[in-house]
Amino acid sequence: MASLAGLSISAGALSLAGCAHSPSDAAAAPLVPAGRGSGDLGLVIERETGSLGVLDTTARTRLGTITGLGDLSHASVVYGRDGATAYVFGRDGALTKVNLLTGQIESRVQQAGNSIGGAISQDGTLVVAQNYKPGGIKVFDARTLALVADIPAVVGGQPSRVVGLADLPGQRFVYSLFDAGQIWIADLSNPAQPQITQFANIGKQPYDALVTPDGRTYIAGLFGEDGLAKLDLWAAQPRVERILDGYGRGEQPLPVFKMPHLRGWAVAGRYAYLPAIGRHEVLVVDTSTWQEVARIPVAGQPVFVMARPDGRQVWVNFAVPDYDTVQVIDTPTRQIVKSLKPGKAVLHMEFTPRGEAVWISSRDAGHISVIDTTSFKTLAVLPAQSPSGIFFSSRAARTGF
């Protein structure tokens, strides 16, 4: 473990021409009436048109469309504390601030050449982008999108792609270096002087990660080998430990057609439900010991493994050729209780805040399905252009989302 202060940091407000975006139609009518709250709103990424659909989870309707967000072929969203401000990280390296109530882009910066996600600080004042090209992370003022810090991820003179970025208590962020096999923690309690702690030799090719809902444990999945890397963030001297080491030993792995995802949504009560790389299995891990306690056979290679907010169910979608299927695991019995086919190319799922329904995007079918999680009946089908990620404003109140 190494701790570095001021690691090749550059700071200052952005002043490049064309970086800030001022909407030309700012006087347009808002999407929702004045005085309405934002707690039941959300966004769906429309990847091929570079647009966002604004969703109402109470009425199960689409309120409107926000356009002009560039390449959203791999995009994600985090929310400000008001639940009405969203920050969209596009594949093309752009960071866009949008207002769900007005349906307007408030600001936009071209911050990298290739970006795959980001996070927002505990107090909502800092937004951080994780980048593939040129690598590293960039830190922005959440209000203005002015650049606060630029922290390269360079090990042995070589830049690394950053994955698995998550927010932590105390104005900290944790992330993994795909090419360098490391985990870094950036303490941004003083953004002008970031403090970087490095953990080396965590395993080959960390591809994504999760933070448990209590903010204590960071788990990085490894693509280059069977196993995961665990970091106890509450420890006086944190160190990386290997868990589920060699979970596929003795088995021939399958070709991986789509990289699975790890996030805090995979934790249901005491257990974490994790996708097995190159296998048709979900791994069940006891979070008190971080030992594997079960494996659940599923229809294909899992991509998203997501727990309903109450932890009673876990919903799973799959890579090709099984990407038209969603399966539901009952957590007390660890049995598949339902298989659904909501539409071709299921890319993402998002539960309503209390879990009575799940919204599922089907890219090739061109729609979003709203499914009752008790009866499994389809409550609504909403049109969308090549929909992928669905992000509800309730994420604003959750660590690691």
Side-chain angles (χ1 to χ4, degrees):
M1 179 179 71
S3 182
L4 304 176
L7 179 70
S8 301
I9 308 300
S10 63
L14 287 179
S15 59
L16 297 177
C19 283
H21 178 98
S22 298
S24 59
D25 53 351
L31 291 181
V32 301
R36 185 200 190 284
S38 60
D40 60 350
L41 299 182
L43 294 170
V44 59
I45 303 291
E46 295 183 305
R47 54 191 298 153
E48 291 187 6
T49 55
S51 58
L52 304 171
V54 182
L55 308 173
D56 180 334
T57 66
T58 299
R60 303 185 192 121
T61 59
R62 177 173 176 152
L63 299 175
T65 303
I66 304 172
T67 61
L69 283 95
D71 183 357
L72 300 183
S73 58
H74 188 298
S76 64
V77 175
V78 299
Y79 284 92
R81 295 174 71 172
D82 61 5
T85 305
Y87 301 87
V88 184
F89 305 89
R91 171 63 90 177
D92 57 5
L95 167 60
T96 309
K97 179 182 178 183
V98 302
N99 187 306
L100 276 67
L101 300 177
T102 64
Q104 299 295 315
I105 291 176
E106 294 188 342
S107 188
R108 179 174 168 84
V109 294
Q110 188 66 45
Q111 60 87 30
N114 189 333
S115 180
I116 62 162
I120 190 165
S121 63
Q122 184 178 36
D123 68 356
T125 63
L126 301 173
V127 174
V128 178
Q130 64 177 19
N131 294 321
Y132 268 15
K133 185 179 180 180
I137 65 172
K138 288 187 178 179
V139 185
F140 299 88
D141 182 296
R143 184 178 59 86
T144 64
L145 294 193
L147 183 65
V148 174
D150 183 349
I151 306 175
V154 178
V155 176
Q158 298 298 315
S160 176
R161 290 166 284 183
V162 168
V163 297
L165 175 70
D167 56 288
L168 298 176
Q171 299 296 91
R172 297 178 301 154
F173 295 84
V174 59
Y175 50 98
S176 296
L177 279 61
F178 179 87
D179 302 291
Q182 296 194 3
I183 294 172
W184 289 13
I185 297 175
D187 184 339
L188 298 172
S189 51
N190 179 2
Q193 294 183 319
Q195 304 294 313
I196 308 300
T197 303
Q198 299 172 298
F199 302 87
N201 302 315
I202 68 163
K204 296 179 182 178
Q205 297 178 322
Y207 67 88
D208 199 4
L210 67 83
V211 169
T212 52
D214 58 9
R216 175 171 184 169
T217 307
Y218 181 76
I219 303 289
L222 301 176
F223 184 70
E225 56 187 290
D226 286 348
L228 301 96
K230 178 180 80 73
L231 185 62
D232 183 350
L233 299 162
W234 289 6
Q237 297 293 328
R239 62 186 182 87
V240 174
E241 301 175 63
R242 290 296 298 275
I243 62 173
L244 278 65
D245 199 20
Y247 63 76
R249 189 175 290 114
E251 301 177 30
Q252 182 65 37
L254 300 170
V256 177
F257 296 111
K258 183 173 176 60
M259 195 77 83
H261 287 259
L262 291 175
R263 286 284 135 177
W265 55 59
V267 178
R270 176 176 166 177
Y271 299 98
Y273 293 77
L274 307 174
I277 293 284
R279 288 166 179 81
H280 293 183
E281 294 174 327
V282 170
L283 309 177
V284 186
V285 179
D286 187 331
T287 61
S288 65
T289 63
W290 292 101
Q291 298 294 313
E292 179 186 331
V293 296
R295 297 189 182 194
I296 302 172
V298 289
Q301 293 184 33
V303 176
F304 284 100
V305 179
M306 303 182 69
R308 200 171 71 178
D310 63 359
R312 177 59 193 267
Q313 296 174 345
V314 169
W315 290 56
V316 187
N317 76 316
F318 305 99
V320 293
D322 305 294
Y323 68 163
D324 62 343
T325 300
V326 173
Q327 289 192 311
V328 184
I329 298 169
D330 175 66
T331 55
T333 64
R334 297 176 183 156
Q335 299 294 314
I336 303 293
V337 294
K338 191 69 175 179
S339 292
L340 304 167
K341 291 187 180 292
K344 191 174 181 181
V346 171
L347 294 191
H348 197 225
M349 302 170 287
E350 181 85 333
F351 290 97
T352 51
R354 297 196 182 190
E356 81 285 350
V358 62
W359 292 49
I360 300 174
S361 63
S362 298
R363 183 196 63 201
D364 294 356
H367 66 232
I368 303 165
S369 303
V370 184
I371 309 293
D372 184 293
T373 58
T374 300
S375 68
F376 304 116
K377 293 180 179 177
T378 300
L379 304 175
V381 177
L382 306 178
Q385 297 290 323
S386 300
S388 54
I390 303 173
F391 304 89
F392 292 159
S393 61
S394 53
R395 287 173 173 248
R398 302 183 67 181
T399 298
F401 279 72

